[in-house]
């Protein structure tokens, strides 16, 4: 039996009032996105892992209703100015979601802008600004090979610079490592000045 429009609206309202886990990602400009995506695809082809949208993690996890998350996200986008980002380091980690990452240089501006956005999302601190190239549980040898592959493909990637002007709000489920259940809720633009 089909669901009536009224029932559908009630379900959407109920979902908006339930608490979910959200994250805020900084979206890369097109030129940097294309460059990073090429590297990510080659890594995934060799080492596996889910397809990841290239992004800088700004706020890693917060529990809110959808209405609260949307309101807080909009406040952050309206309050925070565009953020200059420069890759400082290229790291491997034992953490699944940071297996192979580009770590951003922590300037006073980056620190201030990400801390402000985290505050809007009711988090005391932002995430460590990083751009994950690969999610996975690789051995030390595999991580070494992956790092070598990245540098062979794009030796200047560790000096990449760009301006973050867009953010995305995602509903996430960290238990779903495929990310198939992760949902982009909203995209917003940061202030120019």
């Amino acid at each position: 039996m089909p669901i009536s429009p009224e029932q559908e609206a009630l379900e959407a309202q109920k979902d908006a009032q339930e608490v979910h886990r959200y994250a805020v990602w900084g979206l890369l400009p097109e030129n940097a996105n294309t460059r990073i995506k090429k590297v990510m695809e080659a890594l995934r082809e060799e080492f596996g892992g889910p397809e990841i949208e290239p992004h800088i993690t700004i706020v890693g996890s917060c529990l809110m209703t959808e209405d609260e998350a949307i309101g807080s996200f909009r406040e952050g986008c309206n309050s925070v100015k565009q953020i200059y980002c420069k890759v400082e380091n290229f790291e491997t980690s034992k953490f699944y979601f940071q297996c192979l990452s580009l770590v951003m240089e922590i300037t006073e501006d980056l620190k201030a802008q990400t801390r402000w956005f985290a505050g809007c999302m009711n988090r005391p601190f932002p995430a460590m600004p990083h751009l994950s190239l690969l999610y996975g549980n690789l051995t030390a040898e595999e991580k070494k090979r992956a790092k070598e592959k990245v540098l062979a493909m794009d030796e200047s990637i560790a000096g990449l610079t760009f301006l973050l002007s867009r953010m995305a709000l995602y509903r996430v489920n960290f238990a779903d490592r495929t990310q198939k259940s992760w949902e982009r809720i909203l995209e917003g633009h940061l202030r120019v000045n």
Side-chain angles (χ1 to χ4, degrees):
M1 179 175 217
I3 297 176
S4 72
E6 293 82 16
Q7 288 172 314
E8 199 171 295
L10 285 172
E11 286 299 315
Q13 184 180 14
K14 179 182 165 197
D15 192 47
Q17 294 171 354
E18 289 181 8
V19 173
H20 298 282
R21 190 169 301 280
Y22 294 90
V24 176
W25 293 355
L27 303 177
L28 279 58
E30 192 56 41
N31 61 338
N33 192 64
T34 301
R35 185 174 167 186
I36 293 295
K37 202 167 192 123
K38 180 179 171 187
V39 170
M40 293 168 91
E41 287 169 357
L43 287 170
R44 204 172 54 257
E45 193 174 290
E46 183 171 341
F47 299 100
E51 184 174 351
I52 311 166
E53 178 178 8
H55 67 277
I56 305 258
T57 303
I58 303 298
V59 180
S61 173
C62 50
L63 291 170
M64 306 174 125
T65 67
E66 186 171 304
D67 289 344
E68 291 170 335
I70 288 171
S72 297
F73 177 79
R74 285 186 173 141
E75 179 186 348
C77 288
N78 290 332
S79 302
V80 171
K81 65 180 183 154
Q82 295 179 353
I83 306 168
Y84 173 78
C85 294
K86 179 178 186 217
V87 175
E88 178 180 52
N89 205 355
F90 182 37
E91 292 184 351
T92 61
S93 167
K94 65 181 179 178
F95 301 110
Y96 177 85
F97 293 110
Q98 297 172 11
C99 177
L100 186 63
S101 299
L102 299 174
V103 178
M104 300 301 117
E105 178 182 352
I106 307 297
T107 62
E108 288 303 314
D109 183 53
L110 177 69
K111 198 177 349 179
Q113 299 303 320
T114 57
R115 184 174 289 148
W116 187 268
F117 210 114
C120 291
M121 299 299 293
N122 297 316
R123 299 290 298 164
F125 301 104
M128 175 190 73
H130 65 281
L131 194 163
S132 293
L133 297 174
L134 180 68
Y135 290 172
N137 294 314
L138 303 184
T139 66
E141 180 58 36
E142 288 172 323
K143 288 177 187 176
K144 181 180 176 198
R145 281 195 352 255
K147 199 170 182 179
E148 288 168 355
K149 182 177 187 91
V150 170
L151 293 174
M153 287 183 68
D154 189 340
E155 63 185 29
S156 65
I157 200 165
L160 182 66
T161 61
F162 51 88
L163 190 65
L164 275 185
S165 62
R166 296 178 305 131
M167 297 286 180
L169 175 68
Y170 272 82
R171 182 176 3 203
V172 298
N173 172 3
F174 292 124
D176 175 11
R177 295 197 167 187
T178 68
Q179 292 189 301
K180 291 185 190 308
S181 67
W182 296 27
E183 180 184 359
R184 184 188 289 201
I185 303 298
L186 190 62
E187 185 177 316
H189 292 271
L190 300 178
R191 290 187 309 114
V192 175
N193 287 332

